[in-house]
Amino acid sequence: MAHPALDPATARVLISNDDGIHAPGLKVLEKVARRLFREVWVVAPESEQSAASHSLTMRRPLYLRPAGRRRFTVDGTPTDCVLIAIHQVLKDRPPDLVLSGINRGGNLGEDATYSGTVAAAMEGTLLGIRSVALSQLYADGGEAPWATADRWCEEVIRRLSDFEWPKGVLLNVNIPAVSAAEVLGIEITRQGRHKIGGTMIEGVDPRGKPYFWIAGERQQDKGLAGTDLAAVHAGAVSITPFCLELTHKASMGALAALFR
Ligand code: MN
């Protein structure tokens, strides 16, 4: 079963992210979405929630605050934002599309499982809405090339309006760290895998206690052919379809035999 076609003239679009309401990538995505769709809403975290994954805030109340026309903040995670947007802000009519991002930095390989950007799209998908996570890579020490994000996120989202979107599938889009003109094109990829290690710093705090600090970004990693990592390394936009069904079906027979 697939979603009905997306009509840009009538579609209602919800935007969220994990970098927070003030993030430059959110503003880029709002601009892109407003060029493509008539009705765009933003419900984004009040503060940065990168690596929040799919966490839900359950032990304290959440506050929804206005932040402009059709714009709100929530003092919670990206998942909280999408839930409150769909159950409260847009309860008269659910959105036809959820866009999450544009994240500052890639969400490639297993990093997608930590990502708050991807989680907002996961939540949209669980609530039955077609959803896209968008991330812009950047070179070490530099600002993200937002003009590249602007040009290529528009291209991807515009062309997706013809996609026969299966239920339960979200799209993880990564834009390479090159100028808009240098992008080689769009590749459909599978989720890759980074090399292991090298992401933690050890130190001693001012009171003499040793600590560990997990680094945010991994080394650039070329990845295997056909993966998200390989595509962006080569300078192409990567689109990976994800599903939320986690079952490894091939193992079921052997396990069933073992536990008979
Ligand atoms: Mn982020």
Side-chain angles (χ1 to χ4, degrees):
M1 203 171 67
H3 289 277
L6 191 62
D7 179 1
T10 58
R12 178 178 252 194
V13 177
L14 170 66
I15 294 180
S16 195
N17 75 347
D18 79 356
D19 292 339
I21 190 79
H22 301 298
L26 182 76
K27 295 195 174 65
V28 175
L29 187 51
E30 284 186 64
K31 268 199 317 185
V32 167
R34 293 207 162 94
R35 289 201 296 265
L36 294 171
F37 303 102
R38 281 180 55 192
E39 193 180 333
V40 177
W41 294 76
V42 175
V43 182
E46 211 169 72
S47 60
E48 185 176 346
Q49 301 290 318
S50 291
S53 189
H54 198 199
S55 68
L56 198 57
T57 303
M58 299 185 77
R59 289 182 175 78
R60 62 174 178 83
L62 291 165
Y63 293 93
L64 177 72
R65 297 186 174 99
R69 180 175 138 81
R70 292 179 177 166
R71 291 179 103 247
F72 297 87
T73 66
V74 172
D75 59 340
T77 65
T79 302
D80 298 333
C81 289
V82 172
L83 263 180
I84 289 181
I86 290 167
H87 288 303
Q88 295 300 325
V89 182
L90 305 176
K91 65 181 167 195
D92 62 318
R93 178 161 73 90
D96 303 288
L97 177 68
V98 172
L99 300 173
S100 178
I102 302 165
N103 190 60
R104 182 174 181 274
N107 277 306
L108 300 161
E110 72 280 12
D111 286 351
T113 67
Y114 302 99
S115 168
T117 307
V118 173
M122 285 166 58
E123 192 59 24
T125 304
L126 288 174
L127 294 171
I129 297 152
R130 67 200 109 192
S131 303
V132 188
L134 301 138
S135 304
Q136 173 65 58
L137 281 80
Y138 60 93
D140 279 350
E143 191 34 72
W146 293 118
T148 309
D150 184 298
R151 156 88 173 76
W152 286 92
C153 288
E154 174 171 348
E155 174 92 11
V156 167
I157 297 164
R158 191 170 45 75
R159 289 169 68 176
L160 278 174
S161 59
D162 290 332
F163 176 45
E164 271 208 45
W165 204 303
K167 291 263 167 92
V169 171
L170 62 117
L171 301 180
N172 186 36
V173 177
N174 281 278
I175 314 286
V178 296
S179 73
E182 286 169 325
V183 172
L184 288 182
I186 300 171
E187 274 182 36
I188 307 306
T189 60
R190 63 192 161 83
Q191 186 182 18
R193 182 77 218 252
H194 284 93
K195 294 192 195 81
I196 292 169
T199 59
M200 205 177 295
I201 290 164
E202 280 184 62
V204 179
D205 79 8
R207 290 178 185 81
K209 275 196 169 173
Y211 66 77
F212 304 96
W213 197 326
I214 297 169
E217 289 280 321
R218 286 169 209 269
Q219 293 296 313
Q220 285 289 343
D221 209 337
K222 229 170 126 176
L224 298 171
T227 63
D228 48 5
L229 284 157
V232 296
H233 189 265
V237 172
S238 163
I239 304 180
T240 311
F242 281 174
C243 53
L244 294 177
E245 153 72 279
L246 299 178
T247 313
H248 186 250
K249 294 188 183 74
S251 299
M252 290 176 72
L255 282 165
L258 188 64
F259 289 100
R260 193 155 38 208

